[in-house]
Amino acid sequence: MSNESGSEKRRTRQTHLSPSPTMSSGGNLSCVLVSVDGSEESMNALRWAFTNLKLRSPAPDSTHPPSFVIFHVQSPPSIATGLNPGAIPFGGPSDIEVPAFTAAIEAHQKRITNAVINHALEICSEFNVTSKVRSHVVVGDPKEKICEAVQDLHADVLVMGCRSFGPIKRMFLGSVSNYCAHNAPCPVIIIKGNDCVVKKN
């Protein structure tokens, strides 16, 4: 890992680790979980994963071949969402009435999810890795659901982007990437712009 990213100019501090066996050996990963949301930072993390991480060759009798898992956490419906629905990213439809009821709020959240997943799959096509990718969507709190997925899917490594929040918003929402770096039961790679920060709890 360090050989792959050593030539990159870093603007962020990197936590130095002894390389994990699954990260230092090319083609030795069974499950790479990449968390994506409506941010371009998360899509940069997906591109980074396809460029720098290699899956091992599938066993002839394997029923679960090695894969990249595109993981998205959909926000649960809430009154706040109904009053101020989030914009649908990556060119999704914008001429939609403000959702006022739970069913409409859920439909709006699903539109956001579909836009995120479809954009991620377009990136998969660009890298010709569609056959090695599966997507997984859950509803809930991103911090908790990402860490649960890492454990349930036995991920070898978690890759995610880091959104730039101001100090006030960060104080109330917290940092999903920071939480996962300290609680996910696997190595975590956080992509900040063009930089890579490797952490392990």
Side-chain angles (χ1 to χ4, degrees):
M1 177 62 63
S2 59
N3 290 336
E4 294 175 352
S5 59
S7 61
E8 296 179 4
K9 182 180 179 181
R10 293 186 181 357
R11 295 187 301 273
T12 57
R13 182 176 61 187
Q14 176 168 336
T15 301
H16 297 283
L17 311 170
S18 298
S20 166
T22 58
M23 295 172 63
S24 60
S25 302
N28 196 34
L29 297 167
S30 296
C31 178
V32 176
L33 193 148
V34 185
S35 175
V36 297
D37 54 26
S39 69
E40 195 58 49
E41 290 88 348
S42 70
M43 298 302 164
N44 287 338
L46 183 63
R47 294 183 182 94
W48 188 95
F50 291 152
T51 302
N52 294 277
L53 301 180
K54 306 299 180 183
L55 299 173
R56 72 183 184 188
S57 300
D61 57 347
S62 175
T63 57
H64 299 286
S67 61
F68 292 95
V69 178
I70 297 175
F71 187 77
H72 175 68
V73 182
Q74 179 177 304
S75 299
S78 66
I79 295 176
T81 304
L83 295 175
N84 185 27
I88 298 177
F90 309 118
S94 58
D95 55 340
I96 299 172
E97 294 182 1
V98 175
F101 305 100
T102 300
I105 295 172
E106 290 178 349
H108 183 76
Q109 296 298 86
K110 287 180 180 178
R111 291 187 186 99
I112 294 176
T113 294
N114 290 338
V116 170
I117 295 299
N118 289 339
H119 189 67
L121 292 177
E122 289 175 1
I123 295 173
C124 297
S125 298
E126 294 173 6
F127 284 85
N128 296 317
V129 294
T130 304
S131 62
K132 301 177 181 179
V133 170
R134 53 195 173 106
S135 59
H136 195 63
V137 177
V138 299
V139 178
D141 178 81
K143 297 190 290 291
E144 296 177 357
K145 292 300 181 180
I146 292 171
C147 290
E148 289 177 6
V150 167
Q151 184 168 354
D152 294 343
L153 299 175
H154 306 289
D156 296 308
V157 61
L158 167 64
V159 182
M160 59 195 312
C162 181
R163 305 181 73 168
S164 299
F165 289 139
I168 301 299
K169 193 170 185 179
R170 182 178 296 275
M171 179 178 66
F172 284 101
L173 297 181
S175 169
V176 174
S177 58
N178 187 61
Y179 179 91
C180 292
H182 289 88
N183 293 276
C186 75
V188 178
I189 301 174
I190 301 170
I191 306 301
K192 295 184 176 181
N194 294 322
D195 297 326
C196 168
V197 180
V198 182
K199 295 186 178 181
K200 186 183 175 94
N201 53 319

